[in-house]
Structures are given as C-alpha cells and as structure tokens.
Amino acid sequence: MLDKTFFGSIKKVFTTRDTERRSIMKESSEVLHRAKQSIFALHREDAAGAGALLQEAVSMLKGIEKRVKKFPELSD
C-alpha cells in the first residue's frame, strides 16, 4: 500500500532542500548587510573599507552561487 521508503526519500529531499534554503537566505542577508555597510563606509569617505566589504560580499555570493546549483529553484 504505502511505500515507506519512497516517502522517506521524499522527506529527506525536502528536508535537505529546506535546510539549504534557510542557509542561503541567512547568507544572502549577510551579503546585503555587507553591501549596506560598504555604502555607509563610502559616506564616511572610507573607500578602502568599502572595497574590502564589497569583496567580502562578492566572495560570499560566489559561495552561494555554487550551493544553489544543487537546487536551481532556490535561485529565485
């Protein structure tokens, strides 16, 4: 009747996807925070600090991009 292994595998996929989604959302928020901080640094005329913050944001985005390839629907 009910195939418990099938439903177990579906549950595992959805749990993994949800965990990854939450993690990506958290990291995206951190990227946004770094970008905002770089803008504030530019307002303070701290170009070096702003550049460093943007480099951090870019490297974090590259990491997120690699992880999204496992679940392409998370790119939206």
Side-chain angles (χ1 to χ4, degrees):
M1 310 275 189
L2 290 176
D3 188 1
K4 291 185 181 190
T5 57
F6 173 71
F7 286 110
S9 66
I10 289 175
K11 181 180 178 184
K12 183 179 176 184
V13 168
F14 277 100
T15 302
T16 304
R17 182 190 166 281
D18 186 55
T19 303
E20 193 68 24
R21 183 182 69 86
R22 290 175 190 263
S23 176
I24 288 171
M25 286 172 49
K26 181 178 181 267
E27 282 189 46
S28 296
S29 177
E30 291 174 14
V31 168
L32 181 62
H33 181 72
R34 297 283 194 297
K36 285 182 178 181
Q37 291 299 315
S38 71
I39 292 169
F40 297 147
L42 286 175
H43 288 207
R44 293 187 309 269
E45 296 181 9
D46 180 15
L53 287 165
L54 281 178
Q55 286 293 10
E56 286 181 39
V58 168
S59 67
M60 292 172 75
L61 280 174
K62 287 180 183 178
I64 290 172
E65 186 177 40
K66 289 179 186 175
R67 291 174 40 209
V68 165
K69 288 184 181 179
K70 288 188 267 183
F71 297 101
E73 68 273 8
L74 295 180
S75 66
D76 296 332

Coordinates of all heavy atoms in Angstrom, one line a residue:
M1 N 0.8 -1.2 0.0 CA 0.0 0.0 0.0 C 0.9 1.3 0.0 O 1.1 1.8 -1.0 CB -0.9 0.0 1.2 CG -1.7 -1.2 1.4 SD -3.2 -1.2 0.4 CE -3.9 -2.6 1.1
L2 N 1.3 1.7 1.2 CA 2.2 2.8 1.3 C 3.6 2.4 1.2 O 4.1 1.5 1.9 CB 2.0 3.6 2.6 CG 0.7 4.3 2.7 CD1 0.6 5.0 4.1 CD2 0.5 5.4 1.7
D3 N 4.4 3.0 0.3 CA 5.8 2.7 0.2 C 6.6 3.6 1.1 O 6.9 4.8 0.8 CB 6.2 2.8 -1.3 CG 7.6 2.3 -1.5 OD1 8.3 1.8 -0.6 OD2 8.1 2.4 -2.7
K4 N 7.0 3.1 2.3 CA 7.6 3.9 3.3 C 9.0 4.4 2.8 O 9.4 5.5 3.2 CB 7.7 3.2 4.6 CG 6.3 3.0 5.2 CD 6.4 2.4 6.6 CE 5.0 2.2 7.1 NZ 5.0 1.8 8.5
T5 N 9.7 3.6 2.0 CA 11.0 4.1 1.6 C 10.8 5.2 0.6 O 11.7 6.1 0.6 CB 11.8 2.9 0.9 OG1 11.0 2.4 -0.2 CG2 12.1 1.8 1.9
F6 N 9.8 5.2 -0.2 CA 9.6 6.2 -1.2 C 9.3 7.6 -0.4 O 9.9 8.6 -0.7 CB 8.4 5.9 -2.1 CG 8.0 7.0 -3.0 CD1 8.8 7.4 -4.1 CD2 6.8 7.7 -2.8 CE1 8.5 8.4 -4.9 CE2 6.4 8.7 -3.7 CZ 7.2 9.1 -4.7
F7 N 8.4 7.5 0.5 CA 8.0 8.7 1.3 C 9.2 9.2 2.1 O 9.4 10.3 2.3 CB 6.8 8.5 2.1 CG 5.5 8.4 1.3 CD1 4.8 7.2 1.1 CD2 5.0 9.6 0.7 CE1 3.6 7.2 0.4 CE2 3.9 9.6 0.0 CZ 3.2 8.4 -0.2
G8 N 10.0 8.2 2.6 CA 11.2 8.6 3.4 C 12.2 9.3 2.5 O 12.8 10.3 3.0
S9 N 12.3 8.9 1.3 CA 13.3 9.6 0.4 C 12.8 10.9 0.0 O 13.5 11.9 -0.1 CB 13.5 8.7 -0.9 OG 12.4 8.6 -1.7
I10 N 11.5 11.1 -0.2 CA 10.9 12.4 -0.5 C 11.1 13.3 0.7 O 11.5 14.5 0.5 CB 9.4 12.3 -0.8 CG1 9.2 11.6 -2.2 CG2 8.7 13.6 -0.8 CD1 7.8 11.3 -2.6
K11 N 10.8 12.8 1.9 CA 11.0 13.6 3.1 C 12.5 14.1 3.2 O 12.7 15.3 3.6 CB 10.6 12.9 4.3 CG 10.8 13.7 5.6 CD 10.3 12.8 6.8 CE 10.5 13.7 8.1 NZ 10.2 12.9 9.3
K12 N 13.4 13.2 2.9 CA 14.8 13.6 3.0 C 15.2 14.7 2.0 O 15.9 15.6 2.4 CB 15.7 12.3 2.8 CG 17.1 12.6 2.9 CD 17.9 11.3 2.7 CE 19.4 11.6 2.7 NZ 20.2 10.4 2.4
V13 N 14.7 14.6 0.8 CA 15.0 15.6 -0.2 C 14.4 16.9 0.2 O 15.1 18.0 0.1 CB 14.4 15.1 -1.6 CG1 14.4 16.3 -2.6 CG2 15.2 14.0 -2.1
F14 N 13.1 16.9 0.7 CA 12.5 18.2 1.0 C 13.2 18.8 2.3 O 13.3 20.0 2.4 CB 11.0 18.0 1.3 CG 10.2 18.1 0.0 CD1 9.8 16.9 -0.6 CD2 9.9 19.3 -0.6 CE1 9.1 17.0 -1.8 CE2 9.2 19.4 -1.7 CZ 8.8 18.2 -2.3
T15 N 13.6 18.0 3.2 CA 14.3 18.4 4.4 C 15.6 19.1 4.0 O 16.0 20.1 4.5 CB 14.5 17.3 5.4 OG1 13.2 16.8 5.8 CG2 15.1 17.8 6.7
T16 N 16.4 18.4 3.2 CA 17.7 18.9 2.7 C 17.5 20.2 2.0 O 18.2 21.2 2.2 CB 18.3 17.9 1.8 OG1 18.5 16.6 2.5 CG2 19.7 18.3 1.4
R17 N 16.5 20.3 1.1 CA 16.2 21.5 0.3 C 15.8 22.6 1.3 O 16.3 23.8 1.1 CB 15.1 21.2 -0.7 CG 14.8 22.4 -1.5 CD 13.5 22.2 -2.4 NE 13.0 23.4 -2.9 CZ 12.3 24.3 -2.3 NH1 12.0 24.2 -1.0 NH2 11.9 25.4 -2.9
D18 N 15.0 22.4 2.2 CA 14.6 23.4 3.2 C 15.7 23.9 4.0 O 15.9 25.1 4.2 CB 13.4 22.9 4.1 CG 12.9 24.0 4.9 OD1 12.4 25.0 4.3 OD2 12.8 23.8 6.2
T19 N 16.6 23.0 4.5 CA 17.7 23.4 5.2 C 18.7 24.3 4.4 O 19.2 25.3 4.9 CB 18.5 22.2 5.7 OG1 17.6 21.4 6.5 CG2 19.7 22.5 6.6
E20 N 18.9 23.9 3.2 CA 19.7 24.7 2.3 C 19.1 26.0 2.0 O 19.8 27.0 1.9 CB 20.0 23.9 1.0 CG 21.1 24.4 0.1 CD 22.5 24.3 0.7 OE1 22.6 23.4 1.6 OE2 23.3 25.1 0.4
R21 N 17.8 26.1 1.8 CA 17.1 27.3 1.5 C 17.3 28.3 2.7 O 17.6 29.5 2.5 CB 15.6 27.0 1.3 CG 14.8 28.3 0.9 CD 13.3 28.0 0.7 NE 12.7 27.6 2.0 CZ 12.2 28.5 2.9 NH1 12.2 29.8 2.6 NH2 11.6 28.1 4.0
R22 N 17.1 27.8 3.9 CA 17.3 28.6 5.1 C 18.7 29.2 5.2 O 18.9 30.3 5.5 CB 16.8 27.9 6.3 CG 15.4 27.7 6.4 CD 15.0 26.8 7.6 NE 13.7 26.4 7.6 CZ 12.7 27.0 8.3 NH1 13.0 28.1 9.0 NH2 11.5 26.5 8.2
S23 N 19.6 28.3 4.9 CA 21.0 28.7 5.0 C 21.4 29.7 3.9 O 22.1 30.7 4.2 CB 21.9 27.5 4.8 OG 23.3 27.8 4.8
I24 N 20.9 29.6 2.7 CA 21.1 30.5 1.7 C 20.5 31.9 2.0 O 21.0 32.9 1.8 CB 20.6 30.0 0.3 CG1 21.6 28.9 -0.1 CG2 20.5 31.1 -0.7 CD1 21.1 28.1 -1.3
M25 N 19.3 31.8 2.6 CA 18.6 33.1 2.9 C 19.4 33.8 4.0 O 19.5 35.0 3.9 CB 17.2 32.8 3.5 CG 16.2 32.4 2.3 SD 14.6 31.8 2.9 CE 14.1 33.0 4.1
K26 N 19.9 33.1 5.0 CA 20.8 33.7 6.0 C 22.0 34.4 5.4 O 22.3 35.5 5.7 CB 21.1 32.7 7.1 CG 22.0 33.2 8.2 CD 22.3 32.1 9.2 CE 23.1 32.7 10.3 NZ 24.5 32.5 10.2
E27 N 22.7 33.6 4.5 CA 23.9 34.2 3.9 C 23.6 35.3 3.0 O 24.3 36.3 3.0 CB 24.6 33.1 3.1 CG 25.4 32.2 4.0 CD 26.3 31.2 3.2 OE1 27.0 31.7 2.3 OE2 26.3 30.0 3.5
S28 N 22.4 35.3 2.3 CA 22.0 36.4 1.5 C 21.8 37.7 2.3 O 22.2 38.8 1.9 CB 20.8 36.1 0.7 OG 21.0 35.0 -0.2
S29 N 21.2 37.5 3.5 CA 21.0 38.6 4.4 C 22.4 39.2 4.8 O 22.5 40.4 4.9 CB 20.2 38.1 5.6 OG 20.1 39.2 6.5
E30 N 23.4 38.3 5.1 CA 24.7 38.8 5.5 C 25.4 39.6 4.3 O 26.1 40.5 4.5 CB 25.6 37.6 5.9 CG 25.1 37.0 7.2 CD 25.9 35.8 7.6 OE1 26.9 35.5 7.0 OE2 25.4 35.1 8.5
V31 N 25.1 39.1 3.1 CA 25.7 39.8 1.9 C 25.1 41.2 1.8 O 25.8 42.2 1.6 CB 25.4 39.0 0.6 CG1 25.7 39.8 -0.6 CG2 26.2 37.7 0.6
L32 N 23.8 41.3 2.0 CA 23.1 42.5 1.9 C 23.6 43.5 3.0 O 23.8 44.7 2.8 CB 21.6 42.3 2.1 CG 20.7 43.6 2.1 CD1 20.8 44.3 0.7 CD2 19.3 43.2 2.4
H33 N 23.9 42.9 4.2 CA 24.4 43.7 5.3 C 25.8 44.3 4.9 O 26.1 45.5 5.2 CB 24.5 42.9 6.6 CG 25.0 43.6 7.7 ND1 24.3 44.6 8.4 CD2 26.2 43.5 8.4 CE1 25.0 45.0 9.4 NE2 26.2 44.4 9.4
R34 N 26.6 43.4 4.3 CA 28.0 43.9 3.9 C 27.9 45.0 2.9 O 28.6 46.0 2.9 CB 28.8 42.7 3.3 CG 29.1 41.6 4.2 CD 30.2 41.9 5.2 NE 30.8 40.8 5.9 CZ 30.2 39.9 6.7 NH1 28.9 40.1 6.9 NH2 30.8 39.0 7.3
A35 N 26.9 44.9 1.9 CA 26.8 45.9 0.9 C 26.3 47.2 1.5 O 26.8 48.3 1.1 CB 25.8 45.4 -0.1
K36 N 25.4 47.1 2.5 CA 24.9 48.4 3.1 C 26.1 49.0 3.9 O 26.3 50.2 3.9 CB 23.8 48.1 4.1 CG 22.5 47.8 3.4 CD 21.4 47.5 4.4 CE 20.1 47.3 3.8 NZ 19.0 47.1 4.7
Q37 N 26.9 48.2 4.6 CA 28.0 48.7 5.3 C 29.0 49.4 4.4 O 29.6 50.4 4.8 CB 28.7 47.6 6.2 CG 27.8 47.1 7.3 CD 27.5 48.1 8.3 OE1 28.3 48.9 8.7 NE2 26.2 48.2 8.7
S38 N 29.2 48.8 3.2 CA 30.1 49.4 2.3 C 29.6 50.8 1.8 O 30.4 51.7 1.7 CB 30.4 48.5 1.1 OG 29.3 48.5 0.3
I39 N 28.3 50.9 1.7 CA 27.7 52.2 1.3 C 28.0 53.2 2.4 O 28.4 54.4 2.2 CB 26.2 52.1 1.0 CG1 26.1 51.3 -0.3 CG2 25.6 53.5 0.9 CD1 24.6 50.9 -0.6
F40 N 27.8 52.8 3.7 CA 28.0 53.7 4.8 C 29.5 54.1 4.9 O 29.8 55.2 5.2 CB 27.5 53.0 6.1 CG 26.1 52.7 6.2 CD1 25.6 51.6 6.8 CD2 25.1 53.5 5.5 CE1 24.3 51.3 6.9 CE2 23.8 53.3 5.6 CZ 23.3 52.2 6.3
A41 N 30.4 53.1 4.5 CA 31.8 53.5 4.5 C 32.1 54.5 3.5 O 32.9 55.4 3.7 CB 32.6 52.2 4.3
L42 N 31.5 54.4 2.3 CA 31.7 55.4 1.3 C 31.2 56.8 1.8 O 31.8 57.8 1.5 CB 31.0 55.0 0.0 CG 31.7 53.9 -0.8 CD1 30.8 53.5 -2.0 CD2 33.0 54.4 -1.2
H43 N 30.1 56.8 2.5 CA 29.6 58.1 3.1 C 30.6 58.7 4.0 O 30.6 59.9 4.1 CB 28.2 57.9 3.8 CG 27.1 57.6 2.8 ND1 25.8 57.9 3.1 CD2 27.1 57.0 1.6 CE1 25.0 57.6 2.1 NE2 25.8 57.0 1.2
R44 N 31.3 57.8 4.7 CA 32.4 58.3 5.6 C 33.7 58.6 4.9 O 34.7 58.9 5.5 CB 32.6 57.3 6.7 CG 31.5 57.1 7.7 CD 31.9 56.2 8.9 NE 32.5 54.9 8.4 CZ 31.9 53.8 8.2 NH1 30.6 53.7 8.3 NH2 32.5 52.7 7.8
E45 N 33.7 58.4 3.6 CA 34.8 58.6 2.7 C 35.9 57.6 3.1 O 37.1 57.9 3.0 CB 35.4 60.0 2.8 CG 34.4 61.1 2.3 CD 34.8 62.5 2.4 OE1 36.0 62.7 2.7 OE2 34.0 63.4 2.1
D46 N 35.5 56.4 3.4 CA 36.4 55.3 3.6 C 36.4 54.3 2.5 O 35.7 53.2 2.5 CB 36.0 54.6 4.9 CG 37.0 53.4 5.3 OD1 38.0 53.3 4.7 OD2 36.6 52.6 6.2
A47 N 37.0 54.7 1.3 CA 36.9 53.8 0.1 C 37.6 52.5 0.3 O 37.1 51.5 -0.2 CB 37.6 54.6 -1.0
A48 N 38.7 52.4 1.1 CA 39.4 51.2 1.3 C 38.5 50.2 2.1 O 38.4 49.0 1.7 CB 40.7 51.4 2.0
G49 N 37.8 50.7 3.1 CA 36.9 49.9 3.9 C 35.7 49.4 3.1 O 35.3 48.2 3.2
A50 N 35.2 50.3 2.2 CA 34.1 50.0 1.4 C 34.5 48.9 0.4 O 33.7 47.9 0.2 CB 33.6 51.2 0.6
G51 N 35.7 49.0 -0.2 CA 36.1 48.0 -1.1 C 36.3 46.6 -0.5 O 35.9 45.6 -1.1
A52 N 36.8 46.6 0.7 CA 37.0 45.4 1.5 C 35.7 44.7 1.8 O 35.5 43.5 1.6 CB 37.8 45.6 2.8
L53 N 34.7 45.5 2.2 CA 33.4 45.0 2.5 C 32.7 44.4 1.2 O 32.0 43.4 1.2 CB 32.5 46.0 3.1 CG 32.8 46.4 4.5 CD1 32.1 47.7 5.0 CD2 32.4 45.2 5.5
L54 N 32.9 45.1 0.1 CA 32.3 44.6 -1.2 C 33.0 43.3 -1.6 O 32.3 42.4 -2.2 CB 32.4 45.7 -2.3 CG 31.4 46.8 -2.2 CD1 31.6 47.8 -3.3 CD2 30.0 46.2 -2.3
Q55 N 34.3 43.2 -1.4 CA 35.0 42.0 -1.8 C 34.5 40.8 -0.9 O 34.3 39.7 -1.5 CB 36.5 42.1 -1.6 CG 37.2 43.0 -2.6 CD 37.2 42.3 -4.0 OE1 36.5 41.3 -4.2 NE2 37.9 42.9 -4.9
E56 N 34.2 41.0 0.3 CA 33.6 40.0 1.2 C 32.2 39.6 0.6 O 31.9 38.4 0.6 CB 33.4 40.5 2.6 CG 34.7 40.6 3.4 CD 34.4 41.1 4.8 OE1 33.3 40.7 5.4 OE2 35.2 41.9 5.3
A57 N 31.4 40.6 0.3 CA 30.1 40.3 -0.3 C 30.2 39.5 -1.5 O 29.4 38.5 -1.7 CB 29.3 41.6 -0.5
V58 N 31.1 39.9 -2.4 CA 31.2 39.1 -3.7 C 31.7 37.7 -3.4 O 31.1 36.8 -4.1 CB 32.2 39.9 -4.6 CG1 32.6 39.0 -5.8 CG2 31.6 41.2 -5.1
S59 N 32.6 37.5 -2.5 CA 33.1 36.1 -2.3 C 32.0 35.3 -1.6 O 31.8 34.1 -1.9 CB 34.3 36.1 -1.4 OG 34.0 36.6 -0.1
M60 N 31.2 35.9 -0.8 CA 30.0 35.2 -0.2 C 29.0 34.8 -1.3 O 28.4 33.7 -1.3 CB 29.4 36.1 0.9 CG 30.2 36.2 2.1 SD 29.6 37.4 3.3 CE 28.2 36.5 4.0
L61 N 28.8 35.8 -2.2 CA 27.8 35.5 -3.3 C 28.3 34.3 -4.2 O 27.5 33.5 -4.7 CB 27.6 36.7 -4.2 CG 26.6 37.7 -3.6 CD1 26.6 39.0 -4.5 CD2 25.3 37.2 -3.5
K62 N 29.6 34.3 -4.4 CA 30.2 33.1 -5.2 C 29.9 31.8 -4.5 O 29.6 30.8 -5.1 CB 31.6 33.4 -5.5 CG 31.9 34.5 -6.5 CD 33.4 34.7 -6.8 CE 33.6 35.8 -7.7 NZ 35.0 36.1 -8.0
G63 N 30.1 31.8 -3.2 CA 29.8 30.6 -2.4 C 28.4 30.2 -2.5 O 28.0 29.0 -2.6
I64 N 27.5 31.2 -2.4 CA 26.0 30.9 -2.5 C 25.7 30.4 -3.9 O 24.9 29.4 -4.0 CB 25.2 32.2 -2.2 CG1 25.3 32.6 -0.7 CG2 23.8 32.0 -2.6 CD1 24.7 33.9 -0.4
E65 N 26.3 30.9 -4.9 CA 26.0 30.5 -6.3 C 26.4 29.1 -6.5 O 25.7 28.3 -7.1 CB 26.8 31.4 -7.3 CG 26.5 31.2 -8.7 CD 27.3 32.1 -9.6 OE1 28.5 32.4 -9.3 OE2 26.7 32.6 -10.6
K66 N 27.5 28.6 -5.9 CA 27.9 27.2 -6.0 C 26.9 26.3 -5.4 O 26.6 25.2 -5.9 CB 29.3 27.0 -5.4 CG 30.4 27.6 -6.2 CD 31.7 27.4 -5.5 CE 32.8 28.1 -6.2 NZ 34.1 28.0 -5.5
R67 N 26.4 26.7 -4.2 CA 25.4 25.9 -3.5 C 24.1 25.8 -4.1 O 23.4 24.9 -4.0 CB 25.3 26.4 -2.0 CG 26.6 26.1 -1.3 CD 26.7 26.7 0.1 NE 25.4 26.6 0.8 CZ 25.0 27.5 1.7 NH1 25.8 28.5 2.0 NH2 23.9 27.3 2.4
V68 N 23.7 26.9 -4.8 CA 22.4 27.0 -5.5 C 22.3 26.0 -6.7 O 21.3 25.5 -7.0 CB 22.1 28.4 -5.9 CG1 20.9 28.5 -6.9 CG2 21.8 29.3 -4.7
K69 N 23.5 25.6 -7.2 CA 23.5 24.7 -8.4 C 22.9 23.4 -8.0 O 22.3 22.7 -8.9 CB 24.9 24.5 -8.9 CG 25.4 25.8 -9.6 CD 26.7 25.6 -10.2 CE 27.2 26.9 -10.9 NZ 28.5 26.8 -11.4
K70 N 22.9 23.0 -6.7 CA 22.3 21.7 -6.3 C 20.8 21.8 -6.4 O 20.1 20.8 -6.7 CB 22.7 21.3 -4.9 CG 24.1 20.9 -4.8 CD 24.4 20.4 -3.4 CE 24.9 21.5 -2.5 NZ 25.3 21.0 -1.2
F71 N 20.2 23.0 -6.1 CA 18.8 23.2 -6.1 C 18.5 24.5 -6.9 O 18.4 25.6 -6.4 CB 18.2 23.4 -4.7 CG 18.4 22.2 -3.8 CD1 19.5 22.1 -2.9 CD2 17.6 21.1 -3.9 CE1 19.6 21.0 -2.1 CE2 17.7 20.0 -3.1 CZ 18.8 20.0 -2.2
P72 N 18.4 24.4 -8.2 CA 18.3 25.6 -9.1 C 17.0 26.4 -8.8 O 17.0 27.6 -9.0 CB 18.2 25.0 -10.5 CG 18.7 23.6 -10.4 CD 18.5 23.2 -9.0
E73 N 16.0 25.8 -8.2 CA 14.8 26.5 -7.9 C 15.0 27.5 -6.8 O 14.2 28.5 -6.6 CB 13.6 25.6 -7.6 CG 13.8 24.9 -6.3 CD 14.5 23.5 -6.4 OE1 15.1 23.2 -7.5 OE2 14.5 22.8 -5.4
L74 N 16.1 27.4 -6.1 CA 16.4 28.3 -5.0 C 17.0 29.6 -5.5 O 17.2 30.6 -4.7 CB 17.3 27.7 -4.0 CG 16.8 26.5 -3.2 CD1 17.8 26.0 -2.2 CD2 15.5 26.9 -2.4
S75 N 17.3 29.7 -6.8 CA 18.0 30.9 -7.3 C 17.0 32.0 -7.4 O 17.4 33.2 -7.5 CB 18.6 30.6 -8.7 OG 17.6 30.3 -9.6
D76 N 15.7 31.7 -7.3 CA 14.7 32.8 -7.4 C 14.6 33.4 -6.1 O 14.1 34.2 -5.6 CB 13.4 32.3 -7.9 CG 13.5 31.7 -9.3 OD1 14.3 32.2 -10.1 OD2 12.7 30.8 -9.6

